[in-house]
């Protein structure tokens, strides 16, 4: 089948064996062997041969390539539509999840601020001569110190993120 297809397509292009051989950088006898079925081109040469003959490797090998029908195109477009809808749903779900996480971060920051305001830093009155109280007081003071300075930044970033997830629609 391959040998007949090479010969048929070569002749339809108006090429001699010699002309095709020159284009492929092989000798004329090689093209003759391919057309007589005595040998076959390797895979790389088959691709080059198909390009030179203006055809596909599938056609050279004798496979018929069916043109897509309108029913095929409709089925493909329906599948693509389903995939697009699934991706859009996943994207909306991700955005909602991020939004709720940011809302939760804001709520936690507000609750901790309220708790720290009501506690009024009781560790400041502790007796720091006791090593255990000194360590606990230092840890609480370090937490409060960092929280009061970093929480507003995190809160603002969360609010901006919440607004951005609503504007993204």
């Amino acid at each position: 089948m391959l040998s007949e297809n090479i010969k048929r397509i070569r002749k339809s292009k108006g090429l001699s064996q010699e002309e095709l051989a020159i284009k492929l950088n092989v000798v004329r006898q090689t093209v003759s062997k391919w057309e007589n079925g005595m040998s076959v081109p390797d895979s790389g040469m088959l691709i080059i041969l198909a390009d030179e003959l203006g055809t596909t490797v599938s056609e050279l090998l004798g496979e018929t390539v069916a043109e897509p029908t309108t029913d095929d195109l409709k089925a493909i477009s329906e599948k693509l539509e389903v995939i697009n809808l699934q991706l859009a749903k996943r994207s909306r779900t991700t955005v909602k999840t991020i939004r709720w996480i940011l809302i939760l971060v804001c709520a936690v920051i507000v609750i901790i601020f309220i708790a720290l305001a009501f506690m009024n830093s009781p560790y400041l009155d502790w007796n720091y001569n006791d090593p255990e109280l000194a360590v606990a007081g230092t840890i609480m003071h370090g937490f409060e110190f960092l929280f009061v300075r970093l929480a507003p930044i995190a809160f603002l970033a969360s609010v901006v993120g919440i607004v951005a997830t609503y504007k993204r629609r």
Side-chain angles (χ1 to χ4, degrees):
M1 184 65 107
L2 174 64
S3 59
E4 294 169 10
N5 288 338
I6 294 172
K7 188 174 189 176
R8 179 180 50 80
I9 295 171
R10 176 186 59 79
K11 285 185 177 183
S12 72
K13 299 289 180 181
L15 295 172
S16 67
Q17 287 182 346
E18 183 70 30
E19 292 169 330
L20 182 59
I22 290 170
K23 287 184 175 195
L24 299 173
N25 293 323
V26 296
V27 294
R28 184 199 57 78
Q29 289 81 1
T30 303
V31 174
S32 177
K33 286 181 181 180
W34 292 342
E35 290 182 357
N36 291 323
M38 296 169 62
S39 69
V40 293
D42 64 7
S43 60
M45 183 55 74
L46 197 58
I47 294 170
I48 296 169
L49 178 61
D51 285 342
E52 287 298 329
L53 293 176
T55 187
T56 64
V57 174
S58 299
E59 283 185 43
L60 279 178
L61 294 173
E63 296 177 10
T64 56
V65 179
E67 292 294 320
T69 63
T70 55
D71 291 338
D72 293 341
L73 294 176
K74 185 177 179 182
I76 291 170
S77 67
E78 287 173 356
K79 289 178 183 178
L80 287 174
E81 184 179 356
V82 168
I83 291 170
N84 284 335
L85 290 174
Q86 290 172 344
L87 289 173
K89 184 177 180 182
R90 184 179 297 161
S91 177
R92 283 192 306 271
T93 303
T94 302
V95 168
K96 284 182 181 180
T97 303
I98 290 170
R99 183 181 310 131
W100 280 108
I101 289 171
L102 293 173
I103 290 170
L104 181 65
V105 167
C106 288
V108 167
I109 289 172
V110 168
I111 290 169
I112 292 175
F113 258 118
I114 291 170
L116 289 175
F118 277 115
M119 284 179 21
N120 202 16
S121 305
Y123 58 86
L124 294 176
D125 297 332
W126 291 353
N127 180 6
Y128 281 90
N129 290 330
D130 182 4
E132 290 176 4
L133 287 178
V135 170
T138 303
I139 290 172
M140 287 183 70
H141 182 67
F143 170 77
E144 187 175 321
F145 179 83
L146 287 175
F147 183 80
V148 168
R149 281 152 184 80
L150 298 178
I153 296 169
F155 185 81
L156 287 176
S158 296
V159 169
V160 168
I162 292 167
V163 170
T165 59
Y166 278 110
K167 283 190 174 183
R168 191 167 186 205
R169 284 184 175 182

